[in-house]
Amino acid sequence: MGDPTTARRSALQHAERLRALTETERDMIRLVNRDGFGRWLEQIQNIDGCTHPIYLAGRTTVRAKQTGVVLHHYDTHSSEPGGVLAVRCRNRRHSVCPPCSRLHAGDTYQLVRAGLQGGKGAPATVAEHPRLFTTLTAPSFGAVHSRDATGRRCRPRRDAGNCEHGRPLGCGIRHSENDPLLGQPICADCYDYPAHVLWHAHVGELWARTVRTIRRHLASTAGITQTDFRNHARLSFAKVAEYQRRGAVHFHAVIRLDGPDGPDTAPPDWATASLLEDVIRNAVATVSASPPYSTGLGEYVCRWGTQLDVHSIKESIKDELITPDAVAAYIGKYISKSVGDAGGTDRPIKSQREIDFRKVNRHLRTLMYTCWRFGELPELQNLKLQKWTHTLGFRGHCLSKSRRYSTTYWALRDGRTNYLRGALLFRDNVETVTESFWHYAWSGYTDGESTLATGIAHDIAQSRQLTREVLADFDGRWPDDATD
Ligand SMILES: [Zn+2]
Ligand SMILES: [Zn+2]
Ligand SMILES: [Zn+2]
């Protein structure tokens, strides 16, 4: 006690311990001792531990319209640590921000389900309208290594021989699920890279033509003119694009037939699910789209692949896979995926040299080079292939839907903000005026902040999973993930 040697030893040990800490750990100690740490933690909890938060500074004042009395005033300068408020990055991709992608998937689930079962402003009667869940595929651009669930050999042909490049046409391997060969061409020189890229660049047009053709065939079957069609029925859809391993997109789409004013009106008697299926099959088999003629490339016609799945969506029957919930969950899952999940890259490409440095397999790299080179051709300028090199030429949105399908992301978000705000005040119907001044301050975390946020995100995800499991035991349904 009081021994100078002991005191000195303890001081040295303390210094030693501090030195042993990593930069991140030291940052965390700084952070925990910072003023307003508790509130910062609360902010990050409110955004579920978002990976790339955006910090905003500003103020909002709500006044009663008639009297001008201030009902609510919020200013980050006086009430938040550092004078800023963290908001979500709202990225839909799991590879960029798992917490926000989960929220986005939940919103997509709500949006798709509302169009199938009603809710969120759509009437419950939509469940009685003809509705189909379809998967539209890309055609073959050349044989690729593949595997199916039954574990068959890839391309078993004993006397298949070789292609003109001297490579075997068959492949006797039973590929495992994580085999990097999957999706790679059997012969890269045989693979039609130009066709693949041109197909991607025109698949949006191909889809638009398919929808028009479905409408036209429905009209002619019902014996009405195309212009008159909208006075009888309306075609609604929500679709999501999914990249396969070979780097080509598939579309999963919910297609629904409504009455003339959309989901609120009953479809006409002739509008049955089986008629809709016939018309879809016919349209998918016949439509095409052509790129502008190019002297270098010749003529090319884009069509759908022959593989087409059409399922009718049934009411929640136990053990029936194609229920509204299952379809909504399926589309919700794909929304968080991107070309990155198929081994590609999520960031746009600015130069040809950049393609060399991206971590992608040879097949996807070749597709990117093809995009980049075609992007230089004057006759293909309108396809903006260089801008869309990272998506392999595909310019579409991940999720697209017709205007009258169901609610929108904005409505869902607005509902959420109003719900949070409503918990605070404005219960009585006072007319109010809101003044807001906000600006971007900065974004992202320091290393220590990031470690804490990851912990928060992990805890939240785990407790949601637990709730989901408990509820799943309870009635076999998903809880409303996105309405928290
Ligand atoms: Zn985020
Ligand atoms: Zn193979
Ligand atoms: Zn070959």
Side-chain angles (χ1 to χ4, degrees):
M1 254 199 281
D3 178 355
T5 346
T6 320
R8 204 170 145 262
R9 194 180 301 139
S10 123
L12 275 173
Q13 276 170 353
H14 182 68
E16 190 65 34
R17 274 203 299 273
L18 275 181
R19 254 204 307 280
L21 292 176
T22 64
E23 194 51 52
T24 307
E25 286 162 335
R26 263 178 273 174
D27 186 33
M28 277 168 80
I29 292 172
R30 255 195 314 268
L31 198 64
V32 172
N33 291 309
R34 196 169 68 184
D35 274 352
F37 171 71
R39 173 58 193 152
W40 177 82
L41 213 56
E42 214 171 81
Q43 283 190 14
I44 303 308
Q45 242 144 15
N46 287 342
I47 58 168
D48 290 353
C50 164
T51 319
H52 293 285
I54 295 154
Y55 287 95
L56 300 176
R59 60 182 193 275
T60 294
T61 312
V62 183
R63 291 172 200 279
K65 195 175 177 182
Q66 288 206 307
T67 59
V69 171
V70 174
L71 298 171
H72 174 64
H73 178 71
Y74 168 71
D75 191 339
T76 54
H77 189 68
S78 54
S79 48
E80 301 295 352
V84 290
L85 177 73
V87 297
R88 291 174 169 280
C89 74
R90 293 206 174 283
N91 200 296
R92 71 169 172 83
R93 296 190 198 111
H94 186 82
S95 55
V96 177
C97 179
C100 289
S101 84
R102 245 186 319 266
L103 182 80
H104 195 86
D107 280 355
T108 308
Y109 172 77
Q110 296 286 347
L111 190 153
V112 172
R113 196 174 64 159
L116 293 173
Q117 308 221 110
K120 312 274 171 199
T125 44
V126 288
E128 289 147 29
H129 298 191
R131 306 160 306 164
L132 297 174
F133 183 51
T134 61
T135 298
L136 286 82
T137 59
S140 168
F141 306 111
V144 297
H145 292 281
S146 62
R147 102 187 262 278
D148 69 358
T150 59
R152 276 202 303 239
R153 289 174 194 279
C154 177
R155 294 174 72 76
R157 3 207 113 169
R158 209 164 272 164
D159 314 307
N162 294 342
C163 71
E164 58 178 296
H165 309 99
R167 299 193 182 97
L169 287 165
C171 168
I173 304 173
R174 283 192 178 87
H175 296 288
S176 70
E177 203 178 338
N178 299 316
D179 192 334
L181 264 182
L182 288 174
Q184 302 276 312
I186 302 272
C187 170
D189 293 313
C190 284
Y191 195 89
D192 196 346
Y193 286 97
H196 186 144
V197 164
L198 289 174
W199 189 83
H200 263 176
H202 289 86
V203 69
E205 177 60 27
L206 195 59
W207 169 262
R209 286 183 187 198
T210 308
V211 172
R212 283 202 296 273
T213 308
I214 293 171
R215 232 182 252 130
R216 201 174 59 234
H217 287 181
L218 283 171
S220 68
T221 316
I224 48 179
T225 63
Q226 283 175 65
T227 2
D228 201 22
F229 181 77
R230 68 172 62 134
N231 298 323
H232 294 261
R234 206 171 269 268
L235 194 69
S236 284
F237 65 85
K239 77 178 205 306
V240 68
E242 178 211 351
Y243 279 89
Q244 299 173 277
R245 290 208 224 218
R246 62 173 165 146
V249 291
H250 266 182
F251 286 134
H252 304 288
V254 170
I255 303 178
R256 193 186 66 211
L257 208 46
D258 298 329
D261 289 322
D264 295 303
T265 42
D269 292 338
W270 52 261
T272 61
S274 71
L275 170 67
L276 185 58
E277 173 167 356
D278 286 349
V279 168
I280 291 173
R281 286 192 183 280
N282 193 285
V284 168
T286 53
V287 290
S288 65
S290 293
Y293 180 77
S294 159
T295 32
L297 296 168
E299 213 160 334
Y300 176 70
V301 181
C302 303
R303 295 181 186 282
W304 294 110
T306 47
Q307 196 200 330
L308 166 72
D309 285 335
V310 183
H311 297 280
S312 74
I313 301 162
K314 309 236 170 60
E315 275 317 305
S316 302
I317 303 163
K318 219 174 164 31
D319 303 325
E320 167 65 65
L321 274 172
I322 315 296
T323 63
D325 277 357
V327 169
Y330 195 66
I331 292 185
K333 186 182 92 183
Y334 278 114
I335 201 78
S336 55
K337 303 222 169 191
S338 62
V339 64
D341 289 282
T345 176
D346 287 332
R347 279 172 301 120
I349 286 174
K350 299 276 158 52
S351 70
Q352 187 170 345
R353 255 184 79 71
E354 239 187 84
I355 301 173
D356 298 332
F357 296 107
R358 291 293 167 96
K359 271 197 199 137
V360 296
N361 62 44
R362 212 166 75 185
H363 176 57
L364 296 184
R365 202 184 305 280
T366 311
L367 282 166
M368 287 180 191
Y369 280 131
T370 311
C371 264
W372 193 267
R373 262 181 261 125
F374 283 8
E376 284 163 355
L377 297 175
E379 62 268 36
L380 299 183
Q381 280 312 299
N382 67 330
L383 303 180
K384 299 188 171 62
L385 285 166
Q386 293 194 333
K387 185 180 170 200
W388 299 102
T389 293
H390 67 298
T391 57
L392 315 175
F394 175 55
R395 302 195 297 283
H397 291 287
C398 185
L399 180 98
S400 62
K401 61 179 200 64
S402 56
R403 206 163 46 87
R404 304 298 294 271
Y405 176 75
S406 74
T407 182
T408 61
Y409 285 116
W410 282 113
L412 287 171
R413 276 166 207 166
D414 230 31
R416 196 152 47 221
T417 339
N418 285 340
Y419 169 76
L420 293 173
R421 218 179 273 146
L424 291 170
L425 66 161
F426 317 136
R427 292 194 182 266
D428 31 51
N429 288 332
V430 183
E431 258 197 283
T432 57
V433 190
T434 306
E435 288 166 5
S436 286
F437 301 95
W438 289 88
H439 65 88
Y440 168 88
W442 68 82
S443 67
Y445 291 124
T446 64
D447 287 350
E449 288 173 343
S450 170
T451 309
L452 288 169
T454 309
I456 290 172
H458 178 78
D459 289 351
I460 291 174
Q462 214 165 34
S463 77
R464 289 233 171 103
Q465 181 60 32
L466 264 172
T467 317
R468 192 170 299 159
E469 279 166 17
V470 169
L471 284 175
D473 281 348
F474 183 63
D475 70 356
R477 276 172 175 233
W478 270 36
D480 284 3
D481 203 11
T483 46
D484 47 350

